[in-house]
Amino acid sequence: MLALLPPAVPDVLRQALRWAASRKLGLTIAVALLALLGMLAVASTKLNPQTALFGASLHPSQVMEVERALLLWNEPFTTDDQHTRIFVNASRRREVLVRLTLAGLPHAYVPTTADVLGEQPNAFASSAFMDDRRRAGIQGDLVASLRRINGIADATVVIAPASDDPLAGVDATSPASASVQLLVQPGVSLAPEQIGGIKRFVAASYPGLAPERVVVVDAGGTEGGGSNAVAPAARSQTALQTSIQTALDAVFGAGNTVVRVSMRTTGEERSSTRTLVTPHGLLEAERGSENGTEGGKRFEKLHTQSRYAYDTVVETRSTHADALARLSIAVLVDSQKISLGQSQQVADVVRAAAGADLRSDQVVVAALPFRAPRAAPLSGGPRPLRALAAAGAAIATLLACWSALAARRGKRPTPEDRAASALQESLRHEMPQTAAYVLGGLPQSVRDRVLRAYDPQQREQILGWMNAKRPHV
């Protein structure tokens, strides 16, 4: 078999073996490090195996939703060739599932028009079946569009086609209608304009469907789609608490103060009306007299008409059920970082920022020592992986020490160096031409070692005699 190889191949192999033999230490260290890295990679794969995120296969659209979330969360994952299953590290599966559940992902799969058109046509399918499939695709398109509206977490759309059966009678005939259920995100309230826009959007997507025939309800069944809306008083309380907390964090640093705000509302609707009349005196007056005879009798009549000026003010006051009745603010400061003398200043600033009334509202500032947070563990990985990493570090340290020791040994003089040094010592007192004569009969390697021991001037003189040239003195 070797005879079939080109003639240059054995020479190349011999040179490669000679080079590896001359660099035995470095090659050994390189091979050991590569083996160590391979062991760490294999152990990491074995100790952190990947497992399926979900027990069942998903639709590709659902997989894309989960992929976007995992990319935003910087979670490593892989998918299969069919793009229907997602694999994550087994140690991270539980946490990833919790985060997906809180985010409401993945959404339930609803077939769209693209999915319906992608199905294999059936020549024996009835027209009613095909109409149902097309309507299902439109419903899926509407659900996908509603999910993209800000504040809407999920949606369900059901379209009922018009009933035009001539045998069912006139009373049984009804136009098309649609029902939409919206699941809004926490704290989101859809305005009436948004609800009207959704009705028109749904009606425009199906032939013969009018906006007044579209009903929109929320998760609780209330028409209008806003059951998850937060009361105005609760929003005001949260906004005020956040405003005070951020201001104190900017002054004293995050984690040194805790703010809690409580707002008490009136709890009932109140309305009152008051009329205020303010007179301004006599505006004008008219006087007149009348005299004459009637029935043989003489009469005289006097009449006076006065007009007075006055203002009438009708004042109507109404109080909503969520109107503020009393405000209470509690501020806790860390006594280890904030002095007690600053507590009153903090109370004055908080009272002014919140617009608190000195008579009815209450602002309390207390200085208490905060408990130091518990230190988190340095490593949360599995114990076998930490042990393997420690073993790898120990092996790398041993290899580094071995390399340093071998390099130090490599600096020791060899027998050839000692022989050259002894020869140079014996030739040190000889003439340059004598040293040139002796060195001319030695091997080149020994000659070079001896010449390196001379100073540059003597070396030039000896080389000049060796080349049969007298040096320039």
Side-chain angles (χ1 to χ4, degrees):
M1 183 179 295
L2 294 178
L4 300 177
L5 296 176
V9 173
D11 296 337
V12 173
L13 292 176
R14 282 193 295 271
Q15 293 178 5
L17 293 175
R18 190 180 303 110
W19 178 84
S22 62
R23 293 166 174 80
K24 184 183 302 183
L25 178 61
L27 185 62
T28 303
I29 295 176
V31 171
L33 290 177
L34 290 176
L36 176 61
L37 293 176
M39 292 172 58
L40 290 176
V42 172
S44 177
T45 304
K46 295 296 183 182
L47 294 175
N48 290 301
Q50 287 198 333
T51 183
L53 184 59
F54 300 99
S57 299
L58 301 178
H59 191 267
S61 61
Q62 296 175 302
V63 174
M64 291 180 62
E65 287 183 344
V66 177
E67 284 181 348
R68 285 195 293 266
L70 296 180
L71 288 174
L72 292 176
W73 299 337
N74 198 22
E75 289 285 349
F77 68 93
T78 57
T79 58
D80 59 353
D81 297 336
Q82 292 76 23
H83 206 67
T84 58
R85 296 178 68 87
I86 300 177
F87 301 91
V88 298
N89 291 338
S91 59
R92 297 283 302 167
R93 180 176 181 269
R94 179 181 177 84
E95 183 175 350
V96 172
L97 287 176
V98 171
R99 297 187 68 178
L100 290 175
T101 302
L102 295 177
L105 297 176
H107 289 110
Y109 167 66
V110 180
T112 61
T113 302
D115 299 331
V116 173
L117 296 177
E119 296 177 352
Q120 294 293 334
N122 188 358
F124 301 98
S126 62
S127 59
F129 175 79
M130 297 303 298
D131 291 340
D132 291 341
R133 295 301 300 160
R134 284 192 291 268
R135 188 169 60 255
I138 295 175
Q139 293 174 170
D141 295 337
L142 290 173
V143 170
S145 301
L146 294 175
R147 286 172 178 173
R148 290 191 291 268
I149 297 178
N150 292 334
I152 296 181
D154 204 352
T156 302
V157 178
V158 178
I159 299 177
S163 175
D164 54 356
D165 188 1
L167 301 179
V170 180
D171 297 335
T173 303
S174 61
S177 61
S179 58
V180 180
Q181 185 182 38
L182 301 178
L183 178 62
V184 299
Q185 296 175 354
V188 174
S189 176
L190 297 180
E193 295 81 6
Q194 293 176 292
I195 299 299
I198 291 174
K199 289 183 178 181
R200 291 189 294 271
F201 175 73
V202 173
S205 63
Y206 190 76
L209 181 59
E212 56 270 13
R213 298 286 296 173
V214 179
V215 179
V216 179
V217 298
D218 58 12
T222 303
E223 187 174 359
S227 65
N228 286 345
V230 179
R235 290 200 300 267
S236 302
Q237 175 176 314
T238 304
L240 179 59
Q241 178 174 305
T242 303
S243 176
I244 298 175
Q245 184 69 69
T246 53
L248 294 179
D249 290 344
V251 177
F252 300 106
N256 295 326
T257 58
V258 177
V259 179
R260 292 295 181 266
V261 176
S262 176
M263 290 185 176
R264 183 182 302 174
T265 59
T266 57
E268 60 180 356
E269 297 280 350
R270 295 179 182 178
S271 180
S272 62
T273 303
R274 185 179 65 170
T275 303
L276 180 63
V277 179
T278 304
H280 294 285
L282 181 63
L283 181 62
E284 61 180 359
E286 294 181 0
R287 298 176 181 272
S289 62
E290 182 181 358
N291 52 33
T293 58
E294 183 178 358
K297 296 181 180 180
R298 185 180 178 84
F299 66 90
E300 184 178 358
K301 297 180 180 180
L302 299 177
H303 61 85
T304 303
Q305 185 177 5
S306 301
R307 293 185 178 89
Y308 294 91
Y310 59 90
D311 292 337
T312 302
V313 179
V314 179
E315 181 180 348
T316 302
R317 295 183 178 182
S318 59
T319 304
H320 297 283
D322 55 358
L324 180 62
R326 184 178 181 183
L327 176 65
S328 300
I329 303 175
V331 181
L332 301 178
V333 298
D334 191 357
S335 60
Q336 301 174 353
K337 299 180 181 179
I338 301 175
S339 62
L340 186 61
Q342 295 176 303
S343 300
Q344 186 60 38
Q345 298 179 357
V346 172
D348 296 338
V349 172
V350 170
R351 186 181 298 276
D357 191 352
L358 295 175
R359 294 171 297 176
S360 59
D361 299 334
Q362 184 180 16
V363 177
V364 178
V365 178
L368 300 173
F370 285 11
R371 185 177 62 180
R374 183 177 300 178
L378 296 179
S379 177
R383 292 184 179 179
L385 185 59
R386 295 201 301 268
L388 184 59
I395 294 175
T397 303
L398 291 176
L399 290 176
C401 294
W402 180 31
S403 176
L405 181 60
R408 185 176 179 182
R409 289 181 177 178
K411 295 181 180 179
R412 294 181 180 180
T414 61
E416 291 81 0
D417 293 336
R418 287 194 293 269
S421 180
L423 181 58
Q424 192 273 338
E425 183 67 25
S426 62
L427 295 176
R428 186 176 58 178
H429 302 288
E430 299 294 338
M431 298 294 291
Q433 53 269 33
T434 306
Y437 176 78
V438 174
L439 293 177
L442 297 178
Q444 183 67 33
S445 60
V446 178
R447 185 191 312 159
D448 293 340
R449 288 188 176 90
V450 175
L451 288 174
R452 282 198 298 267
Y454 285 96
D455 56 72
Q457 184 178 4
Q458 292 179 343
R459 187 184 308 117
E460 290 294 333
Q461 293 176 355
I462 295 174
L463 290 175
W465 283 104
M466 291 178 63
N467 295 330
K469 297 181 181 179
R470 292 191 60 83
H472 299 284
V473 182

